[in-house]
């Protein structure tokens, strides 16, 4: 919270162990360093995994230990970026979901239903709700409840 107050031009959000920092690339990198220092000082065992971090930027002059990406990244399982990046990431995710169904045959029908309801379907539903509608493959539309579709 104190870091957010020190850097009002940067938005810091967190969910479980995922932290998203929004702002100019230079400001975000300063905030990352500040948060890393605070975590080390706290001594509670939390640390930044720079290998799982990404810096989405169009600024080429910024140097960083965090890998830079220019087309998009995934935040809390949802692809964010260019239309091409989102479509390609969605296609890969849906293929993984379809492949995971092949493994269900080893479970009883009760457990198959529970796994589809709580794991496979929820993930696809979350993706379908978070992506711009025109980017969604028609097959993903099966996961969006009709009452949630807004027609313009």
């Amino acid at each position: 919270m104190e870091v957010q107050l020190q850097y009002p031009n940067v938005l810091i959000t967190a969910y479980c162990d995922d932290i998203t920092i929004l702002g100019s690339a230079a400001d975000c990198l300063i905030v990352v360093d500040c948060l890393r220092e605070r975590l080390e000082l706290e001594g509670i065992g939390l640390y930044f995994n720079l290998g799982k971090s990404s810096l989405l930027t169009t600024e080429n002059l910024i140097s960083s230990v965090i890998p830079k990406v220019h087309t998009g990244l995934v935040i809390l399982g949802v692809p964010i970026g260019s239309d091409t990046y989102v479509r390609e990431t969605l296609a890969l995710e849906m293929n993984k979901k379809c492949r995971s169904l092949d493994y269900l045959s080893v479970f009883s029908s009760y457990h198959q239903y529970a796994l589809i309801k709580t794991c496979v379907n929820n993930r696809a539903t979350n993706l379908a709700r978070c992506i711009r509608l025109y980017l969604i493959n028609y097959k993903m539309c099966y996961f969006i409840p009709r009452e949630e579709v807004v027609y313009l």
Side-chain angles (χ1 to χ4, degrees):
M1 184 65 155
E2 292 124 16
V3 176
Q4 179 68 76
L5 294 173
Q6 289 175 343
Y7 299 95
N9 293 334
V10 175
L11 175 64
I12 304 168
T13 62
Y15 178 77
C16 295
D17 65 345
D18 286 339
I19 299 173
T20 303
I21 305 168
L22 302 170
S24 74
D27 287 345
C28 288
L29 291 171
I30 291 169
V31 168
V32 166
D33 287 339
C34 187
L35 289 172
R36 286 175 64 192
E37 287 174 17
R38 289 186 66 90
L39 287 174
E40 288 174 14
L41 290 175
E42 295 288 330
I44 56 176
L46 294 177
Y47 64 95
F48 269 86
N49 185 346
L50 295 177
K52 293 178 76 177
S53 301
S54 298
L55 176 64
L56 177 61
T57 182
T58 57
E59 301 173 36
N60 290 323
L61 301 176
I62 299 292
S63 65
S64 169
V65 294
I66 300 173
K68 288 190 276 186
V69 294
H70 299 286
T71 57
L73 53 84
V74 176
I75 297 177
L76 295 175
V78 177
I80 297 172
S82 70
D83 289 356
T84 302
Y85 176 83
V86 171
R87 281 189 180 109
E88 289 173 356
T89 305
L90 278 175
L92 290 172
E93 186 64 29
M94 291 307 291
N95 284 337
K96 282 196 296 188
K97 293 296 167 221
C98 290
R99 283 196 316 272
S100 69
L101 296 175
D102 294 338
Y103 298 103
L104 289 177
S105 62
V106 299
F107 297 101
S108 69
S109 58
Y110 172 80
H111 289 108
Q112 288 177 8
Y113 176 75
L115 287 167
I116 289 172
K117 183 179 176 189
T118 60
C119 299
V120 178
N121 192 43
N122 282 346
R123 182 81 177 98
T125 301
N126 182 54
L127 278 171
R129 288 177 175 160
C130 295
I131 302 297
R132 294 179 302 272
L133 202 54
Y134 71 91
L135 294 175
I136 296 176
N137 180 307
Y138 75 93
K139 293 176 185 174
M140 281 194 73
C141 290
Y142 296 119
F143 295 99
I144 306 174
R146 290 207 184 273
E147 62 272 9
E148 291 186 20
V149 176
V150 177
Y151 297 97
L152 301 175

